Amino acid sequence: MVRSAVIVRLGSANLASRWRDEITDLYVEVFSAPPFVWCDDEGCHQRNRLSRLMLTEGFTLALAVTGSTLIGFVYGAPVPSQQQRGFLPDRVVRRFAGPTFHVTDFAVRQDFRFLGVGRSLHDSILSDRSEKWATLAVQPQAGASISIYERWGWRKIAQHHPDAEGPAPSLDIYAHRLGLSDPSVGW
């Protein structure tokens, strides 16, 4: 298969609203496949989560496209310290005092993995952030994703057991130090 050049676009709610259907379709394609836990209405939950998040100040999105085809995305928003309580243990909230940037969803189409697309998306959305830390949640059985995050400097800091929205009974929470050439510094 011959691939066109991959272009990464960084934007906010306007860009997300233009690509919302494609983002949801790619989300379903990626996360309905093993090793992820999936429920039939998760695509609808993701679309609603994205719509709500787009209204948040600081919402940021990075898209990877080739031609007119979406091949990857990552998005998130800043989370104030007080909103981290209940999601993170108190000891972790104290350690990461101040707002963090929470990466809400991150996906790359299967046939574009291991080509640098995910790293480009990751670096685009996290560069030039004003927050000191970023967080993300990943299903614990997603070993390939976890391995990549750890190579990129993410560290597991907690486990979360969501009560409602989302199919997974537990999520591992990872943190990444922003603004440093070596994210392992400051741990």
Side-chain angles (χ1 to χ4, degrees):
M1 170 204 269
V2 176
R3 294 190 176 117
S4 303
V6 174
I7 297 170
V8 174
R9 297 179 184 166
L10 190 62
S12 59
N14 289 335
L15 182 63
S17 65
R18 288 195 305 267
W19 287 87
R20 188 180 349 228
D21 292 340
E22 292 87 348
I23 291 168
T24 297
D25 291 346
L26 182 53
Y27 179 92
V28 170
E29 178 184 320
V30 168
F31 292 107
S32 65
F36 300 102
V37 176
W38 183 259
C39 60
D40 291 338
D41 57 354
E42 180 57 21
C44 182
H45 288 303
Q46 176 275 334
R47 187 176 177 85
N48 291 336
R49 229 179 6 255
L50 174 58
S51 295
R52 285 190 311 269
L53 196 60
M54 288 166 49
L55 302 174
T56 304
E57 186 175 338
F59 169 80
T60 306
L61 158 91
L63 300 176
V65 297
T66 181
S68 61
T69 303
L70 180 68
I71 59 167
F73 66 82
V74 59
Y75 56 84
V79 178
S81 305
Q82 64 272 20
Q83 288 181 359
Q84 297 169 25
R85 296 201 186 289
F87 184 72
L88 294 174
D90 285 343
R91 67 175 171 73
V92 174
V93 173
R94 284 190 302 274
R95 170 78 169 102
F96 302 107
T100 61
F101 182 79
H102 184 70
V103 175
T104 304
D105 287 315
F106 188 171
V108 175
R109 192 174 304 277
Q110 177 70 37
D111 54 338
F112 284 88
R113 294 182 190 159
F114 305 107
L115 300 173
V117 173
R119 185 62 192 246
S120 293
L121 288 165
H122 174 272
D123 292 352
S124 292
I125 200 165
L126 295 181
S127 67
D128 300 325
R129 300 283 334 155
S130 62
E131 301 85 6
K132 288 184 184 177
W133 296 94
T135 57
L136 62 77
V138 63
Q139 293 183 18
Q141 71 279 7
S145 298
I146 290 168
S147 177
I148 289 168
Y149 293 141
E150 289 175 344
R151 268 198 322 272
W152 293 346
W154 292 84
R155 301 267 176 96
K156 183 178 174 182
I157 58 168
Q159 189 168 67
H160 177 64
H161 301 280
D163 335 333
E165 197 174 297
S170 69
L171 297 167
D172 289 342
I173 310 300
Y174 282 76
H176 188 281
R177 183 75 162 100
L178 300 177
L180 299 173
S181 58
D182 180 359
S184 66
V185 173
W187 286 98

